[in-house]
Amino acid sequence: MSVRNPLGRLLLYLLLTAAALVIVFPLLYAVSISLMPPAEVNTFPPRFIPSSLRWANYAEVARTVPVARYLLNSLVVSAAVTLGQIATASLSGYAFAFMHFRGRAALFALFMSTMMVPWEVTLIPNYLTIRSLRLLNSYPGLILPFLATAFGTFLLRQFFMQVPRELEDAARIDGCGRFRFFWSVALPLARPGLLTLGAYTFLSTWNQYLWPLLVTNTRLMRTVQIGVRFLMNEEGMQYHRIMAGAVLCLVPALLILLWGQRYLVRGMMAGGIKG
């Protein structure tokens, strides 16, 4: 049935609405449980809407675990990794896009081949390196292994390759140096790519679980993902508190996702189309 047909369009919208509700239902249900009185959480049949909003669940989470410290740790680590990846990826992406040197294609292919190496393979060597540097239970230990990625270099190279070469030639004729052209011309023109990489990196770092669990063993250095797990251990099956902690964990990442979703889509399309 064609979507130009009013009935076909109506069915299409109903199908899309149903699919959207299925996708967003777990999030809405988690928010609903986080606001339920404890007596309503385990009732059968289950309740989907609380009879009254119990905001005290969030205050109980804050009293049970240092959730503010966990959020601060995640925010510091995610922001530092994001800024570090933007800095290293923009420099390397610019070099691969604008600078001509012997073996550039082979070096770029070798660089991209590292994307095929699973993160789990490098987990133990990275841990041994961080331990030998005495950086366990510290922000540098959580940040250093993620400051450079081949994906970020590839993504920003695609954006730099869209900058006309004539612009660089004109800038060089006017006496503009290579770094000044990078900083004043190329970098502002690649702003959508920088925002794409920033949003993607922040979200992936915020959601890390295994690495923070491995390199931190003190309560105050845990990130928020680990903190929610501790809440589950300490409070057993009190789902109203667990869901309140999960919602607190989700809020910053959700705000970043809502802000950067158009940049993420644009960046993925640019990376997939441009050669």
Side-chain angles (χ1 to χ4, degrees):
M1 184 176 294
S2 173
V3 295
R4 294 183 178 180
N5 186 311
L7 181 58
R9 186 178 302 176
L10 176 62
L11 291 176
L12 177 62
Y13 286 154
L14 289 176
L15 181 62
L16 292 175
T17 302
L21 289 176
V22 169
I23 293 173
V24 79
F25 174 76
L27 176 61
L28 297 179
Y29 191 45
V31 174
S32 175
I33 292 179
S34 72
L35 294 172
M36 279 186 184
E40 294 182 0
V41 174
N42 295 319
T43 57
F44 186 83
R47 298 180 62 95
F48 295 103
I49 299 176
S51 60
S52 61
L53 300 181
R54 188 172 188 269
W55 296 100
N57 292 342
Y58 289 89
E60 292 174 2
V61 170
R63 286 195 298 268
T64 305
V65 295
V67 65
R69 179 57 188 254
Y70 295 154
L71 288 169
L72 176 65
N73 291 341
S74 288
L75 184 62
V76 170
V77 173
S78 300
V81 171
T82 300
L83 293 177
Q85 283 203 26
I86 288 176
T88 58
S90 60
L91 289 170
S92 56
Y94 175 82
F96 281 119
F98 280 94
M99 298 177 69
H100 299 278
F101 51 89
R102 181 176 298 178
R104 185 181 68 167
L107 182 61
F108 183 70
L110 179 63
F111 205 71
M112 290 299 100
S113 67
T114 61
M115 294 175 65
M116 305 301 167
V117 179
W119 157 246
E120 289 79 7
V121 174
T122 63
L123 189 64
I124 300 303
N126 281 335
Y127 174 78
L128 295 177
T129 302
I130 292 299
R131 189 184 65 174
S132 65
L133 295 174
R134 301 181 184 278
L135 293 178
L136 296 178
N137 290 310
S138 68
Y139 286 132
L142 291 166
I143 294 169
L144 281 178
F146 306 97
L147 289 182
T149 62
F151 170 74
T153 299
F154 171 75
L155 182 65
L156 292 188
R157 173 183 173 269
Q158 304 306 108
F159 279 92
F160 284 131
M161 290 182 69
Q162 299 178 42
V163 178
R165 294 296 180 273
E166 293 79 6
L167 201 58
E168 183 191 22
D169 296 337
R172 299 295 293 270
I173 292 174
D174 286 343
C176 181
R178 190 177 295 279
F179 184 78
R180 184 179 175 188
F181 176 77
F182 162 75
W183 183 258
S184 303
V185 180
L187 211 55
L189 291 176
R191 189 172 58 181
L194 299 176
L195 295 175
T196 300
L197 180 62
Y200 174 81
T201 304
F202 189 93
L203 291 174
S204 59
T205 307
W206 184 274
N207 290 324
Q208 279 185 348
Y209 182 82
L210 185 56
W211 181 253
L213 181 64
L214 193 63
V215 300
T216 60
N217 51 32
T218 59
R219 187 180 178 92
L220 293 181
M221 279 307 300
R222 300 293 193 183
T223 57
V224 70
Q225 303 291 344
I226 313 298
V228 171
R229 175 64 182 170
F230 284 161
L231 183 67
M232 186 183 299
N233 290 338
E234 294 182 13
E235 298 302 323
M237 304 300 289
Q238 298 192 39
Y239 289 114
H240 60 293
R241 293 184 184 178
I242 296 172
M243 289 303 168
V247 171
L248 287 175
C249 168
L250 279 174
V251 169
L254 194 60
L255 292 177
I256 293 294
L257 179 62
L258 292 175
W259 169 78
Q261 59 177 341
R262 67 178 185 275
Y263 299 110
L264 285 172
V265 174
R266 190 183 305 171
M268 295 302 106
M269 292 180 63
I273 294 174
K274 296 293 182 181

